[in-house]
Structure formats: C-alpha cells, structure tokens
Amino acid sequence: MRLIPVIFATLLLSLVPLLANSEVREWTSADGAASFRGTFVEVGGRLVVIVREADGVRFELPLERLSQTDREWIAAAMEASADVKDKPQARELPDRLEWPRHLRLSAGYQIEVVEEDRANDRFVYRSNHFEFVSDVPLSRRVIRDFGQIFEATYEAVASMPMRWDPQPPD
C-alpha cells in the first residue's frame, strides 16, 4: 500500500500545469450589473469562451460585454500564452531513430505470489522485474495492473536510444 501515495502524488503533480491554467475567477458585465464565477477557456476574434463554475455550461460572448478589468485580464493571459509559444520547443525526434513507437509487454509477463502472511501483515508479489510488498492483501487484478504499469515503464526505459539497461540492485 506504500505505492498508492507515490502514484497519487505523481498524478497530482502532473496535473498542476493544467490546474494552473484553469483559474476560476469573477467575471463582470461591462455595465457592472451582473457577475458570475467561471474559467477562461479561449478567445477567438471578438468572442471569449468561458465555462461557468455554477453549472459547468460553456458559452461564448462578445468581449464588449465584459468589464474593462476582465478584458485587460484576457489580454494579459493571451500575452503570457504568446510568450510561451515563442519560446523554443523541444526538438522532435527524427523518424530514423530506432526508438519504438509502441511498446508491448513481453510474452513471458507474469505475476507470482511470493508471500501472503496474514499473521504479520506481509504480502509480497513479484513481476518479471519488480517486487511489490504490501501490508494488506491485494486482489489479483490490482497487482496485475500495478505490474503492467511498472513493467511497461521498464520496457519504455530499456528501449530508450541511450541504450540504458536498468537492472535492480542485488
């Protein structure tokens, strides 16, 4: 069960950039008579797309219907977005590299139960390259899924053009 917090933390950290771009803020009409909370999606021409927080409805409205403060916020967001687009991007890998485009688990992939000691709360499962230790018993499906994720990661790293062959410690 020690793996679950690590996996959760990894997934959460990978979502941070997405969450940062989806700021919920208060939007106000040009005349100041109405307002709502929502998330900016994009602007195209004279229309802005916003998702309303209350009901998740996505709608377009003319920029002129928003307050001057909101229009300035959109302009700043678009400028920041343009700055990111102008920065040099990572090079695409040439097609001639022999790095696989798809990975498959080896035909010999298997999960074995090494130990299930209920008295000492120790449960050990092993895949081809990994050993999973838990303080609670895991279902065959859960351990199979964990094993597939870890073995696929192993295969991806092993197939990198750097010719790195990961080996577990002795």
Side-chain angles (χ1 to χ4, degrees):
M1 293 312 311
R2 293 181 194 112
L3 279 177
I4 292 182
V6 172
I7 292 170
F8 180 74
T10 303
L11 290 173
L12 184 62
L13 288 175
S14 68
L15 293 176
V16 168
L18 297 174
L19 297 174
N21 291 336
S22 60
E23 173 186 342
V24 176
R25 60 184 306 278
E26 190 77 21
W27 299 89
T28 306
S29 63
D31 62 5
S35 66
F36 65 94
R37 291 184 54 77
T39 303
F40 171 76
V41 176
E42 64 183 345
V43 66
R46 301 299 305 157
L47 294 176
V48 62
V49 178
I50 299 173
V51 175
R52 190 170 36 214
E53 179 185 45
D55 55 10
V57 172
R58 177 185 168 118
F59 59 94
E60 295 180 358
L61 64 136
L63 279 169
E64 299 79 34
R65 291 190 48 201
L66 291 174
S67 69
Q68 182 63 34
T69 303
D70 290 339
R71 289 186 294 226
E72 289 169 2
W73 185 92
I74 291 170
M78 297 310 295
E79 186 175 314
S81 175
D83 288 346
V84 169
K85 288 178 185 172
D86 290 342
K87 290 184 180 175
Q89 301 295 315
R91 277 187 315 126
E92 282 197 36
L93 294 173
D95 288 335
R96 62 183 157 74
L97 282 180
E98 294 300 319
W99 197 9
R101 301 288 183 228
H102 303 281
L103 293 172
R104 294 193 193 285
L105 290 177
S106 66
Y109 169 72
Q110 61 184 6
I111 292 288
E112 72 176 286
V113 177
V114 176
E115 179 182 353
E116 286 190 329
D117 183 356
R118 293 184 188 279
N120 294 313
D121 292 330
R122 181 173 167 80
F123 303 87
V124 182
Y125 309 91
R126 187 177 297 140
S127 68
N128 296 29
H129 298 97
F130 297 92
E131 192 168 274
F132 304 92
V133 179
S134 174
D135 56 356
V136 296
L138 301 174
S139 72
R140 300 294 182 250
R141 181 180 179 137
V142 167
I143 198 62
R144 184 196 71 214
D145 290 350
F146 275 148
Q148 286 178 341
I149 291 168
F150 278 73
E151 291 295 333
T153 303
Y154 174 90
E155 293 294 331
V157 170
S159 68
M160 294 176 81
M162 296 180 288
R163 306 267 187 251
W164 182 55
D165 185 24
Q167 293 295 319
D170 292 335

